[in-house]
Structures are given as C-alpha cells and as structure tokens.
Amino acid sequence: MERVLTECAQRHGEEHPDTIAARNNLAGRYAATGRRDIAVTEFERALSDAVRTLGEHHVLAEVVRENLAVCHEDADRFGDAAHHWQQLVAQRAARLGRHHPDTLLARARLAVACRRAGRLREAADHYRDVLQHSAAFSAEDVEAWRLGLARTLRRMGQDDECRAQLRLVVAQRRLRLGVRHPRTLAVHYQLGLSYARSGRPEEAVRVLREVYRHCLAAVGDPEVRRLALRVRRELAAAYRAAGRPQAVAALR
C-alpha cells in the first residue's frame, strides 16, 4: 500500500483522487495494525487534500472523515471523534435529509462519542433524536441506543428516565429473545441495580428476585450461571438494606 501511494503520487500528484484514496487505504491499514498515530496523520492529510481539491461534501471527503472519526474512537480520542461526527451529521443532513438512515447512523455515533467524552447533555439529545426516528433500524440497533441513553442518563443523575429506558429494553428483549436469555437477564439485572443504587431497596428486591428466579431456571447456561452469582449477591444486599435478614439467610 505504501508503494501504491508512492506510485499514485508520482503519476497523478498528491491531490489527485486516486492518490487521496490510496492514502486513505494506507491509513486504514495502519489503523488495523495498531499504528494509530501514523494512521491519524495520514487520514488527516487525506482529508485535507480531499476537502481542498474536491470539496467538503464530496463522497471521498466524507469517507475519509468517517474513517478518521473511527480511528480517533479506537484511540480513545472521543472529543476529536465527536468533532468529525458532528460535521458528518451536518453534511449528511444537508445532502440526504435530517432523518435519512445515513444521517441518523452518524448521529448515533456522535451520541456515543459525546457520551465517552463526558458531553452528557449533548449525548442525550442525540440519542433521543435517533430513537425518535428509528423505525427503519433493527431491534438490536434500537436497543443499543436505548442502553447508551440509559448510561448517559445515569451519569446525569436522571435515574427515573434511565430506568424507563432499561424497562423498554427488557420488554423488547423478552419478546425478541425470551425472558431467560442472557442478554435479557443482563439488562433486567441492570434495572435492579439502578433501584439499589438509588436507595430504593424494596423495588430492587422485587426486580432482582425476579431476575434471580429466571437465572435459576436457566442455570444450565454457563453465562447465566455466572450472572446468577452476581444477582444473588446484589439481592442479598437489597434484602439487608430493606431490613429483611431472614430473606438473606434463606438465600444461603
């Protein structure tokens, strides 16, 4: 790929679309092999060349910018990633429409980057926007965005709304996967923990007891068996917080 880039630059010049594409491909290979610093440098140069010669809205410029945003994410540079996702959202909204699936997917990535960068209010707004127009997406995508919103709301201290999102995911996964599926139980467990962390032990007991019952019924699954141990520990703590020592003893 380095040789291809050199040959393209010699034949067409540094700012030819073929050269820019070759630099983008080389940067992607650097990123895939863990050489993220040089990958970022090459992506940034490719983006600069693409914007200068082809324009900000050219498809090649968008491709390079998206690759650069992903590379920043892989390097835990979420503020930098958010900057590029924000530009992609604006560009796609102008070209395709605000609610086009490609625009919404870029906004979902922006929401994640904002959350990871600590820009929680922005993240929550972006998640809500995507979820409001998510009819064209798979159930798995929608559940992932709801969980991202729930994490954001929890960090913002909005526990009631966080639990509302978790309950929606539990309900969706029960229909799609079943009540005893590990992925259903994992979110149901998070709902119980949310009550416990909010100082609401009776609600925590109610939810965790139900999760524990389902775990015991599916304990043949190693993943569920490991989860059952955590649920039992948290259920015992919730019983103690609720002043029910006999229930704690019965768990043992």
Side-chain angles (χ1 to χ4, degrees):
M1 287 186 174
E2 290 169 342
R3 186 164 59 249
V4 169
L5 174 59
T6 300
E7 291 173 355
C8 282
Q10 290 173 345
R11 183 180 305 117
H12 304 298
E14 294 286 350
E15 297 181 346
H16 190 277
D18 288 351
T19 306
I20 295 169
R23 191 179 302 281
N24 173 73
N25 293 339
L26 175 60
R29 191 59 189 164
Y30 284 143
T33 55
R35 300 168 67 183
R36 294 193 181 94
D37 288 340
I38 190 171
V40 166
T41 299
E42 293 298 330
F43 277 133
E44 287 177 340
R45 180 171 176 183
L47 179 60
S48 177
D49 290 343
V51 170
R52 184 169 55 255
T53 60
L54 303 172
E56 184 74 51
H57 299 282
H58 191 278
V59 63
L60 182 55
E62 281 198 21
V63 168
V64 177
R65 189 181 294 282
E66 183 166 348
N67 289 338
L68 176 56
V70 172
C71 190
H72 279 309
E73 288 177 342
D74 291 342
D76 293 337
R77 300 167 182 163
F78 294 105
D80 292 327
H83 167 74
H84 291 290
W85 287 120
Q86 182 76 64
Q87 288 194 251
L88 284 166
V89 168
Q91 290 166 7
R92 291 177 183 176
R95 180 166 58 85
L96 302 170
R98 193 167 180 268
H99 301 142
H100 189 278
D102 288 350
T103 308
L104 292 170
L105 285 172
R107 189 178 295 282
R109 297 297 291 265
L110 173 59
V112 174
C114 286
R115 174 172 60 84
R116 299 294 298 274
R119 292 157 52 179
L120 302 180
R121 189 167 299 280
E122 290 177 66
D125 288 343
H126 291 309
Y127 276 125
R128 290 188 182 107
D129 195 329
V130 173
L131 287 167
Q132 189 176 357
H133 304 93
S134 61
F137 295 98
S138 70
E140 289 188 355
D141 285 335
V142 174
E143 289 167 10
W145 297 331
R146 287 200 185 283
L147 290 174
L149 177 57
R151 294 187 190 102
T152 304
L153 294 168
R154 182 175 66 238
R155 291 177 61 186
M156 294 172 70
Q158 297 182 19
D159 293 328
D160 287 341
E161 192 176 351
C162 167
R163 284 188 286 270
Q165 296 300 324
L166 292 175
R167 281 193 291 270
L168 284 171
V169 176
V170 170
Q172 290 166 352
R173 288 191 174 175
R174 282 181 163 183
L175 289 172
R176 188 167 64 86
L177 302 173
V179 296
R180 296 170 184 170
H181 191 280
R183 295 182 63 202
T184 306
L185 293 171
V187 180
H188 204 175
Y189 170 55
Q190 290 299 318
L191 177 60
L193 283 183
S194 178
Y195 280 118
R197 290 165 179 165
S198 296
R200 297 169 63 175
E202 291 295 347
E203 290 95 331
V205 164
R206 175 179 54 79
V207 174
L208 291 171
R209 186 168 53 199
E210 183 180 3
V211 178
Y212 190 50
R213 177 169 56 82
H214 288 311
C215 284
L216 292 180
V219 77
D221 184 322
E223 187 176 351
V224 174
R225 189 159 57 246
R226 289 191 294 270
L227 177 62
L229 295 174
R230 297 198 300 274
V231 175
R232 184 173 65 179
R233 182 174 61 248
E234 295 297 336
L235 178 56
Y239 276 136
R240 283 192 290 269
R244 299 166 65 178
Q246 292 181 335
V248 177
L251 277 177
R252 297 173 183 169

